[in-house]
Amino acid sequence: MKYNLIVIALFIIQTCYSQIGKDCTTPMVISSLPFSASGTTNGFGMDYQVGPNGTTYMTGNDFVLRFQPAVNMKISIALTGTNSLCGLFLANNCPDAPGVNYIAYVEASSGNPSMSNIQVYSDTVYYIIIDTYNAFSLFPSTTFNINVIKAFDVDLAGGKVYDPITSCELSNNQRFVFRFSNVGVDTVFNPEIGFQVNNDVPVIETDLDTIVPGVTYLYTFNTHYDLSQLNATYIIKMFTKYVGDINNYNDTIIFPIVNNETVNAFPYFQDFENDSKGWSTAWLSHILPGTSWKYETPNKPIINHASSGNKCWVTDSAGTCIPNESSYVIGPCFDFSTLTLPVLDLDIWYETDVPDMVTIEFSTEKNADLHWHQLGNTGDANNWYNTPIGYSAAGWNGSSGGWLHARHTLDTLGGEPYVQFRITYLSGNNNVKEGFAFDNIKISESPLNDVSLDEIIYPTGSCKLSAIDSVIVKITNHGMNAVHGFDVKCSIDGGANYITETIQDTLNFLDTMTYKFAANFDFSAIGLHNVICYTNLIAEQNTTNDTAKIEIMHYSSVSTYPYFEDFETSNGTWFTSGINSSWQWGIPTDSVLTAAASGFKIWATNLSGYHNFSEHSLVTSPCFDLSTMTNPKLRMKIWYDETYPTYCQFKISTDGGIVYNTLGTASEPNWYNAGYSWTNSSNGWKEVEHTLQTYAGNPDFRLQFAFEGAVEKTGFAFDSIVICDMPKASFNEVSTKGWQVIFNNSSNLIDSCLWDFGDGLYSNVLNPTHSYTSADSVLVTLIVYNACGIDSIKKYVHPKYVGIAENDLLNFIKLYPNPIKDELNIDFNEKFGNCIIEINNIQGETVIKNVYNVNNKNNFVIYTNKLPNGLYFVKINCTKGIINYKIIKL
């Protein structure tokens, strides 16, 4: 028993210190085929970053497997269940080995990467690397299932039901087309190809063709079929049959299609209460079937009701979506021939994880191989996509907090006779959420009367708002009728009081105008101003786009320093904004974040719990006038408990809050802990600091915390912010007599100082007088202090020579060059008689001494090539006086 415990303990220790799959020294070993395993690159590090041809798909964490085949063979490798963009690489050595050659690699921009029929040899050790395309540092890792098999000699694989597809023009003589490929090693001749509709008798035909390995084929059946029943769902099965093909798992494709009615009467409206007519679900990849979409009454913890009535489309009415789901709901065919500017309206609700994405796509084709196009972009008005820059595509992601009404114009589709829409859902593998729901779909012509107030252009948050200020808005006419003489209203107190003005300008269809209110508005009060503006058009047919709202912050302006804010008496006029913000000012009551850094109050993401999911929020400071500052510095206390890819950045603006740039990097001391941000855990409150010297003199300087909340946790907090000017140490010295030196402290912005005279004695007197015993050269240090920090300066002082004049007789004697190298030239302009010329080093030692008789204008050369580099003092003692001169030897 003791022996077993020792073995177990040794195994645990070994496991802790050697992470299997981390790199080429500790790979996961494939000892035999077939091989399958599941894993993740999370926590395995980014050991290998340089792939073939400069691939970007080797920029995240990586997982390594090693394989040496027992005999020469061909193999196939496939990944499934991936939750982010990833690459699959097969190399004949470790990726960082000299001369490594990539036998094959696949970069999967969507779906799961795989490679087939790759020749490998028994005398070579191969490495399989699974890596992630870490776009914008948002997706560092991926989960995966890997399968490695010996390629079958004979293996035909179904790929897609190419035709028929869900459409509105299926006939009673419908053709069938099957896409398949030869993934085996051998060439195949005249295989049998079949299809079956629902449970009808299968149709089997012979493809009189030569099917070579690695090639994809389309087979068009000679037999046609009756699929003309409207609004019917057909389950289509297509398959291959061939003698010797023993791998039957990939022979057959099963896929649903629907023959819908064509919609040509508008407005079109479907609330799904009576039926789901025209709407059906399927999956993107025919070889990976699976969809959680249901047309039912939602009954989940969060998505728990339809937008209206009882029914809607939802990803699983009672649970979550499927891990690695890649599915859609497709609608009927629309004939927009009679429409000029159609508009799509729908109600949506989303609760997704970080890698999940929901997108609406459209197609205007009716051929078998449809091309789908994304409808709209992130940031389009009316609750359209919200995914930030850095995601692989635009879409909905995160939490909507309930039902939202979304709207988007279909202006490029007006006049198109054949249009289809589908709502596509892509999910990751971990932490699957409830997903997506939609209801109340409406497609209509742009109304006759529809004026929108698109945006409040001015004011924006500023330190310079006044009691006599303006409001400027953007207005668009979406209606077919020209409009004029309509009212526009604006309130700056949240709707309590409005100013109404009438616009007499004529706006034609799709005209846009910028309107400045004639009235003045009072924004002089420091703090938030809730601005609401809306258009008021008689006979308005669409009121969903009439109103714009914005919170305008009039920031206080700080010009007195040091600035210290501990948020005890107020929020400091710091202002929160952004998407799905959880920032709060007050007393923390969370079980993890239990206390402020000082006092009681702080700023934090949710004082009593987790930050919001899919949060992109900001906290912005007052304005700082740094005009009088020379070396400002920032110091503050921060606290964070986050799960990557959640992070917080600190940003600054020097242009009045228009553009914010990230301040600093993790390579700087006492600042970020990861790249350009704080992430993971601070393990309590910590003090961080950063110089602001680059921004000294800026009259409108602002600070901002930018929080990206991806995985829910406690989040981020800050407290005790200080901005002050650093002291600057400087001094010079003058001598009285003997060895006594008076020091002149010329430092700036100091509260106190400390002198180290270099002889073991100290003083904190501002301008001290110090007596030396015999030193000719001593290193003096001055340290200066203020509330912002410390500075110091070190300088050699030469008590013996301080104050000795260097220019008494310089009109008659010239020394050059200075600095010197090998020679010092001394020119005399008149008779001086006998002169003693000596050169002393900074220790007071005489290193050169000569006597010269100067009877007329003479030039003397003193060779200095043997002197060490440094400072020297030349003393010329003549009958007419003494000259002392400083030179530098290079």
Side-chain angles (χ1 to χ4, degrees):
M1 180 62 68
K2 289 182 181 180
Y3 172 81
N4 291 337
L5 290 175
I6 293 172
V7 170
I8 293 172
L10 290 173
F11 173 78
I12 293 173
I13 293 172
Q14 182 179 8
T15 302
C16 292
Y17 285 93
S18 59
Q19 198 172 12
I20 302 300
K22 183 181 185 307
D23 51 35
C24 295
T25 60
T26 56
M28 179 176 283
V29 177
I30 302 174
S31 56
S32 62
L33 299 183
F35 172 84
S36 63
S38 298
T40 177
T41 64
N42 185 30
F44 277 67
M46 188 169 60
D47 297 294
Y48 309 111
Q49 303 176 48
V50 180
N53 302 325
T55 174
T56 57
Y57 280 68
M58 198 174 269
T59 54
N61 296 335
D62 35 51
F63 191 96
V64 180
L65 301 96
R66 185 176 66 198
F67 172 59
Q68 183 171 9
V71 296
N72 298 346
M73 67 173 72
K74 288 188 176 182
I75 63 171
S76 297
I77 308 171
L79 296 185
T80 59
T82 58
N83 65 332
S84 61
L85 307 182
C86 62
L88 176 63
F89 305 84
L90 177 65
N92 64 354
N93 209 330
C94 191
D96 59 2
V100 61
N101 181 39
Y102 287 89
I103 310 303
Y105 70 96
V106 180
E107 298 176 344
S109 58
S110 62
N112 299 290
S114 63
M115 54 183 70
S116 301
N117 298 340
I118 309 301
Q119 180 67 55
V120 293
Y121 300 93
S122 60
D123 60 353
T124 303
V125 176
Y126 297 90
Y127 289 86
I128 300 170
I129 301 94
I130 302 165
D131 211 315
T132 308
Y133 176 31
N134 189 16
F136 295 86
S137 300
L138 291 171
F139 308 102
S141 60
T142 185
T143 57
F144 62 87
N145 304 311
I146 183 171
N147 291 280
V148 184
I149 62 172
K150 179 181 178 181
F152 291 94
D153 291 336
V154 178
D155 191 7
L156 295 180
K160 183 178 181 180
V161 176
Y162 189 83
D163 196 21
I165 59 173
T166 292
S167 67
C168 303
E169 297 189 2
L170 301 180
S171 71
N172 60 2
N173 191 33
Q174 182 67 44
R175 75 165 186 168
F176 279 63
V177 182
F178 186 34
R179 190 174 77 189
F180 69 98
S181 57
N182 184 352
V183 297
V185 175
D186 296 341
T187 298
V188 171
F189 302 93
N190 307 329
E192 289 186 318
I193 311 295
F195 75 82
Q196 183 179 22
V197 179
N198 296 332
N199 293 317
D200 297 348
V201 177
V203 174
I204 300 177
E205 298 180 356
T206 299
D207 182 4
L208 301 176
D209 205 348
T210 299
I211 314 299
V212 299
V215 178
T216 297
Y217 294 83
L218 288 177
Y219 177 75
T220 301
F221 287 87
N222 297 309
T223 304
H224 290 193
Y225 219 80
D226 183 0
L227 301 179
S228 61
Q229 182 180 348
L230 287 177
N231 302 319
T233 299
Y234 298 96
I235 305 300
I236 307 297
K237 179 189 293 184
M238 292 189 179
F239 53 90
T240 63
K241 292 182 65 178
Y242 193 79
V243 175
D245 185 351
I246 62 174
N247 180 24
N248 303 128
Y249 294 103
N250 59 1
D251 293 345
T252 303
I253 298 295
I254 300 176
F255 196 73
I257 65 167
V258 179
N259 184 23
N260 289 320
E261 293 180 332
T262 297
V263 176
N264 53 22
F266 299 95
Y268 165 83
F269 181 74
Q270 172 62 277
D271 64 0
F272 305 109
E273 285 308 297
N274 298 318
D275 57 55
S276 62
K277 182 178 175 181
W279 295 83
S280 59
T281 182
W283 39 91
L284 290 177
S285 174
H286 292 198
I287 63 175
L288 295 172
T291 175
S292 66
W293 285 104
K294 292 182 180 179
Y295 157 60
E296 289 181 356
T297 300
N299 184 26
K300 308 187 186 194
I302 300 176
I303 304 177
N304 53 22
H305 64 278
S307 178
S308 66
N310 297 311
K311 294 183 179 180
C312 64
W313 275 97
V314 60
T315 48
D316 198 317
S317 57
T320 64
C321 64
I322 300 172
N324 303 302
E325 183 164 351
S326 179
S327 64
Y328 59 84
V329 177
I330 189 170
C333 313
F334 295 96
D335 181 357
F336 288 168
S337 298
T338 61
L339 300 182
T340 302
L341 187 65
V343 176
L344 171 67
D345 290 89
L346 75 162
D347 295 334
I348 59 173
W349 190 340
Y350 47 92
E351 293 289 335
T352 76
D353 195 19
V354 176
D356 301 354
M357 187 77 64
V358 187
T359 307
I360 296 183
E361 299 171 301
F362 68 89
S363 174
T364 58
E365 305 165 1
K366 56 183 179 181
N367 59 304
D369 194 14
L370 293 183
H371 293 88
W372 292 94
H373 310 278
Q374 175 182 291
L375 177 62
N377 293 292
T378 296
D380 288 355
N382 301 303
N383 294 317
W384 212 244
Y385 305 142
N386 69 329
T387 48
I389 295 173
Y391 277 66
S392 57
W396 287 292
N397 172 274
S399 175
S400 64
W403 284 102
L404 299 176
H405 181 78
R407 170 179 253 235
H408 206 283
T409 59
L410 307 174
D411 48 332
T412 62
L413 302 180
E416 290 285 347
Y418 193 92
V419 180
Q420 279 189 285
F421 297 97
R422 70 181 185 185
I423 300 175
T424 302
Y425 187 83
L426 305 175
S427 76
N429 190 48
N430 293 324
N431 198 31
V432 289
K433 301 261 182 168
E434 293 188 9
F436 193 85
F438 66 92
D439 200 356
N440 295 334
I441 288 187
K442 179 182 178 182
I443 298 176
S444 59
E445 179 66 282
S446 290
L448 295 176
N449 301 306
D450 181 13
V451 175
S452 68
L453 198 149
D454 305 321
E455 180 184 2
I456 299 172
I457 299 173
Y458 181 86
T460 57
S462 174
C463 317
K464 300 175 181 178
L465 299 177
S466 70
I468 306 174
D469 224 319
S470 302
V471 172
I472 303 173
V473 296
K474 177 184 175 184
I475 298 171
T476 302
N477 181 16
H478 296 285
M480 308 293 270
N481 291 336
V483 295
H484 65 89
F486 60 92
D487 289 345
V488 59
K489 301 189 174 189
C490 190
S491 168
I492 66 169
D493 56 11
N497 299 282
Y498 281 93
I499 288 176
T500 303
E501 295 182 2
T502 301
I503 296 177
Q504 297 296 344
D505 294 348
T506 297
L507 288 180
N508 295 310
F509 178 50
L510 294 183
D511 279 354
T512 295
M513 71 175 299
T514 299
Y515 179 75
K516 179 180 179 181
F517 280 83
N520 292 320
F521 296 83
D522 184 1
F523 290 104
S524 60
I526 300 297
L528 276 178
H529 298 265
N530 295 312
V531 182
I532 304 174
C533 298
Y534 69 92
T535 57
N536 187 21
L537 175 69
I538 297 175
E540 172 71 62
Q541 293 175 278
N542 175 29
T543 59
T544 62
N545 59 5
D546 292 351
T547 304
K549 300 179 180 180
I550 189 172
E551 290 185 328
I552 302 298
M553 184 70 175
H554 187 182
Y555 297 99
S556 59
S557 186
V558 178
S559 58
T560 302
Y561 300 95
Y563 166 84
F564 175 73
E565 180 58 74
D566 62 0
F567 305 109
E568 289 304 297
T569 59
S570 72
N571 64 8
T573 66
W574 288 63
F575 168 59
T576 182
S577 58
I579 300 173
N580 211 18
S581 175
S582 66
W583 283 101
Q584 294 176 320
W585 164 70
I587 300 173
T589 59
D590 184 66
S591 59
V592 180
L593 175 58
T594 58
S598 65
F600 299 97
K601 296 180 180 179
I602 59 173
W603 272 98
T605 52
N606 193 350
L607 292 165
S608 59
Y610 284 4
H611 64 77
N612 290 332
F613 177 69
S614 194
E615 180 172 346
H616 314 285
S617 58
L618 308 168
V619 180
T620 307
S621 74
C623 307
F624 295 95
D625 183 354
L626 306 182
S627 299
T628 62
M629 304 191 80
T630 58
N631 187 14
K633 181 180 180 181
L634 165 73
R635 191 169 66 242
M636 59 187 175
K637 301 287 183 63
I638 62 170
W639 185 102
Y640 49 93
D641 185 29
E642 304 159 333
T643 298
Y644 187 85
T646 295
Y647 63 89
C648 189
Q649 291 182 318
F650 194 82
K651 299 187 174 185
I652 57 96
S653 173
T654 58
D655 58 5
I658 299 173
V659 177
Y660 281 87
N661 295 306
T662 303
L663 178 67
T665 70
S667 63
E668 300 171 66
N670 301 320
W671 199 237
Y672 295 141
N673 71 328
Y676 296 89
S677 65
W678 293 292
T679 189
N680 297 322
S681 177
S682 61
N683 297 313
W685 285 100
K686 63 184 296 186
E687 184 171 80
V688 295
E689 59 184 35
H690 201 284
T691 177
L692 303 177
Q693 186 175 17
T694 304
Y695 313 105
N698 189 286
D700 192 352
F701 181 73
R702 306 186 194 188
L703 312 176
Q704 188 178 82
F705 290 91
F707 182 76
E708 297 290 328
V711 180
E712 293 166 302
K713 212 169 183 182
T714 303
F716 194 90
F718 63 92
D719 196 3
S720 302
I721 294 183
V722 179
I723 297 177
C724 50
D725 224 346
M726 290 285 290
K728 182 65 177 177
S730 177
F731 74 88
N732 51 56
E733 69 282 352
V734 293
S735 177
T736 53
K737 55 184 177 180
W739 300 95
Q740 192 177 63
V741 179
I742 298 175
F743 289 93
N744 176 37
N745 191 334
S746 54
S747 305
N748 292 320
L749 302 171
I750 68 171
D751 295 333
S752 60
C753 65
L754 177 65
W755 294 88
D756 177 353
F757 295 118
D759 59 356
L761 298 177
Y762 300 86
S763 173
N764 57 9
V765 175
L766 186 63
N767 296 296
T769 298
H770 187 69
S771 295
Y772 290 91
T773 55
S774 61
D776 291 328
S777 178
V778 64
L779 183 63
V780 176
T781 302
L782 171 61
I783 306 173
V784 294
Y785 306 84
N786 70 11
C788 198
I790 64 174
D791 190 33
S792 64
I793 184 173
K794 295 178 182 290
K795 186 189 295 186
Y796 277 101
V797 173
H798 313 286
K800 182 177 179 180
Y801 300 101
V802 171
I804 297 177
E806 295 181 343
N807 59 354
D808 292 348
L809 300 175
L810 286 182
N811 291 329
F812 309 101
I813 301 175
K814 181 180 180 182
L815 289 82
Y816 64 93
N818 192 11
I820 62 173
K821 288 189 176 180
D822 298 328
E823 297 177 352
L824 173 64
N825 292 275
I826 304 177
D827 291 347
F828 292 87
N829 293 328
E830 64 176 55
K831 293 181 180 180
F832 277 83
N834 287 333
C835 292
I836 301 172
I837 301 176
E838 64 180 57
I839 298 178
N840 301 308
N841 62 21
I842 60 174
Q843 283 76 36
E845 300 168 341
T846 300
V847 293
I848 295 177
K849 185 175 183 180
N850 291 302
V851 178
Y852 298 92
N853 187 7
V854 184
N855 295 318
N856 205 334
K857 294 182 179 181
N858 294 108
N859 172 262
F860 298 98
V861 177
I862 298 177
Y863 293 97
T864 57
N865 56 306
K866 294 184 179 181
L867 294 181
N869 295 343
L871 175 66
Y872 293 89
F873 302 92
V874 180
K875 181 179 179 181
I876 303 175
N877 191 347
C878 301
T879 57
K880 293 187 177 183
I882 297 174
I883 292 178
N884 287 282
Y885 194 81
K886 295 179 183 178
I887 60 173
I888 297 175
K889 168 66 167 56
L890 298 179

